Amino acid sequence: MERCVAAKDVAVDANRLWADLMALAEITDPRLPYTRRSFSPLFLEGRRWLAEKFAEAGLTVRTDPAGNLIGQLPGKLPALGVIAVGSHSDTVPSGGRFDGIAGVVNGLEIVRALRDAHVRLDHTIEVIDFLAEEPSEYGLSCIGSRGMSGALEPRMLDMTNSVGETLRDGLRRVGGDPDHLDAARRSDIEAFIELHIEQGIVLESQSLDVGIVTAIVGIRRIEIVFVGEADHAGTTPMALRHDALVAGTRTVAAVRRIAEQMAQEEQDYFVATVGVLTIEPGAANVVPSRCRMVIDARTTNRALIERFTQIIERESGQHAADARVSRAPLAILSDGPPASCDPTLRAVMEQSARELDLTTLDIASGAGHDTAFMTRVCPSGMVFVPCRQGKSHSPEEWADADAIAAGAAVVLQSVKTLDRSLPRKS
Ligand SMILES: [Zn+2]
């Protein structure tokens, strides 16, 4: 079986890449495969393994003040700046072997492929393992990429985990330096590429090789609370009830209907979900007096999320009036803006895939990624590889060795092209 995917004269070794993925998968909580939570002893063990592999590949290894593990291979003309490739090695509880890890190992494999072919680039290459892309025990995600882009705010360092340790102290524990976070901010990276499993079924269902990510969704979480009156479920006539849940369920149905309409009418990606719905007092024989929900709305177009919020505000107010309950003002719990991938990088990746005879699709990312923060630092792009049935954040997560190698070859070819074509400062 042909297991090497050639990027012109330099080839990615699919077997070597796969062996690394499986070796990292072994570093897991044995009771909860595959778990390597950020900041945990297992996470640090995984990083020691990675650091060794980075060093074996000829990279100089360091941890930056934001806790990112970085392997660096100086270029022939280091003044040109850095081309960076990477993702994250932490997992969710009972997560998979590929989410994030595939992108880190891809970076490592690219460096080895270049070395094996005796190719040295003009630009310096860095392989980055971002700290804590998944929500950490401190309640914050994308800690490393926030740090690299200047979005790790001082107040965030005071967030605590379940045993009361601050993120500030946690950062120190993983080799970061919370007192000098400014030094983690980068201005020398000229391009960044992240390879990631799609975590969806689009590529697999269309039998496509790679997805070229157009943009990463922004996520707005909206809290809506309806307040009615708790009354006896047997003695209160229907016409005299103030049932908070009735307004709530009609709003849930509205969220679904409006999201479907927006996704249909607009070219842009739009999805919305009510994932939290609680009622009080929550007894079979009592009319619900309070209903709280949290809407998670995601889109690549900021204007759509504003319009959605306005419509939901109006409709939920109407449903409250119809059910004779009150509705508190909508509360925006969190609001991350969408991030666009760089058009030039997208074109380079598209061209690279074509040169490798791989099929591609422009695709929006419905999940958040470190790349969203890296777009604030430098031109950034993402390559998606298909994963089985779109399953992710579960032990069943799976991507074929050849599929990952194909994506890695696209990244390798793109890095080589960028090394020649990136604008050079005179
Ligand atoms: Zn990920």
Side-chain angles (χ1 to χ4, degrees):
M1 187 166 39
E2 180 54 65
R3 303 278 280 175
C4 285
V5 184
K8 292 279 169 64
D9 46 323
V10 189
V12 165
D13 183 333
N15 287 329
R16 187 166 56 182
L17 211 170
W18 186 256
D20 286 346
L21 281 167
M22 293 304 112
L24 258 174
E26 292 296 313
I27 306 173
T28 172
D29 181 338
R31 295 159 306 167
L32 278 180
Y34 298 90
T35 304
R36 202 171 44 251
R37 298 288 290 146
S38 56
F39 297 92
S40 69
L42 279 168
F43 171 73
L44 291 170
E45 191 184 328
R47 278 201 152 176
R48 272 194 298 277
W49 185 91
L50 269 174
E52 240 167 68
K53 286 282 173 181
F54 283 4
E56 272 173 30
L59 298 166
T60 311
V61 187
R62 70 180 193 277
T63 302
D64 78 359
N68 299 305
L69 180 74
I70 302 174
Q72 188 192 65
L73 185 71
K76 280 189 286 189
L77 305 169
L80 291 179
V82 172
I83 298 175
V85 179
S87 192
H88 60 96
S89 71
D90 67 313
T91 72
V92 298
S94 293
R97 290 165 279 186
F98 305 92
D99 173 359
I101 299 135
V104 177
V105 172
N106 161 56
L108 170 63
E109 178 54 28
I110 282 174
V111 171
R112 287 186 303 215
L114 290 167
R115 184 198 56 190
D116 291 353
H118 306 288
V119 173
R120 181 139 174 242
L121 301 184
D122 289 345
H123 289 79
T124 294
I125 297 191
E126 286 191 4
V127 182
I128 305 175
D129 172 24
F130 292 105
L131 178 64
E133 190 272 345
E134 307 289 1
S136 66
E137 307 295 337
Y138 306 89
L140 191 68
S141 62
C142 294
I143 293 173
S145 50
R146 280 177 201 271
M148 208 174 262
S149 59
L152 188 57
E153 298 165 27
R155 63 173 177 89
M156 294 172 178
L157 297 176
D158 295 326
M159 296 171 85
T160 52
N161 65 9
S162 58
V163 296
E165 185 191 43
T166 62
L167 174 56
R168 183 177 288 104
D169 288 339
L171 263 179
R172 286 199 184 96
R173 209 158 41 71
V174 299
D177 182 359
D179 300 323
H180 297 94
L181 276 182
D182 271 356
R185 294 184 68 163
R186 301 289 295 271
S187 57
D188 58 332
I189 304 179
E190 301 299 317
F192 171 74
I193 300 180
E194 178 172 12
L195 174 146
H196 207 281
I197 57 166
E198 182 200 339
Q199 302 178 285
I201 54 166
V202 175
L203 294 175
E204 185 188 55
S205 64
Q206 299 182 38
S207 300
L208 294 164
D209 295 316
V210 290
I212 310 291
V213 176
T214 54
I216 299 156
V217 290
I219 307 172
R220 176 175 284 186
R221 299 224 166 91
I222 308 166
E223 180 193 59
I224 304 183
V225 177
F226 295 101
V227 179
E229 282 174 34
D231 283 310
H232 196 293
T235 60
T236 315
M238 296 308 287
L240 299 180
R241 293 177 181 217
H242 306 276
D243 188 331
L245 181 58
V246 169
T249 52
R250 288 175 182 166
T251 302
V252 172
V255 167
R256 171 73 181 228
R257 172 172 43 77
I258 298 160
E260 280 175 346
Q261 269 168 12
M262 293 185 95
Q264 253 171 30
E265 285 166 17
E266 307 288 340
Q267 294 298 312
D268 297 291
Y269 188 85
F270 189 92
V271 292
T273 309
V274 177
V276 173
L277 184 75
T278 53
I279 57 168
E280 292 172 22
N285 58 354
V286 185
V287 175
S289 61
R290 191 172 186 275
C291 171
R292 173 183 182 265
M293 70 180 67
V294 178
I295 304 169
D296 173 300
R298 302 179 181 219
T299 179
T300 49
N301 180 343
R302 178 116 219 174
L304 288 189
I305 214 135
E306 298 299 345
R307 216 172 87 208
F308 173 81
T309 307
Q310 282 169 10
I311 300 173
I312 281 297
E313 183 163 32
R314 195 176 62 231
E315 288 217 11
S316 60
Q318 189 57 52
H319 296 315
D322 292 348
R324 294 187 306 279
V325 302
S326 64
R327 194 214 61 208
L330 266 52
I332 309 284
L333 302 182
S334 64
D335 198 17
S340 294
C341 291
D342 182 72
T344 307
L345 251 67
R346 280 171 54 191
V348 167
M349 294 189 289
E350 182 81 50
Q351 175 66 27
S352 300
R354 236 193 328 266
E355 286 165 8
L356 294 161
D357 282 325
L358 298 170
T359 52
T360 66
L361 180 73
D362 283 347
I363 186 170
S365 172
H369 292 292
D370 290 308
T371 297
F373 285 98
M374 289 306 285
T375 60
R376 304 179 188 189
V377 176
C378 61
S380 301
M382 281 192 92
V383 171
F384 275 172
V385 295
C387 60
R388 189 186 290 169
Q389 295 176 346
K391 285 203 189 314
S392 186
H393 288 189
S394 84
E396 287 85 50
E397 188 179 88
W398 184 264
D400 286 332
D402 292 338
I404 298 172
V410 171
V411 179
L412 171 58
Q413 181 77 352
S414 301
V415 166
K416 287 177 63 201
T417 303
L418 289 167
D419 185 50
R420 292 189 308 270
S421 66
L422 280 172
R424 299 193 172 200
K425 297 163 249 174
S426 52

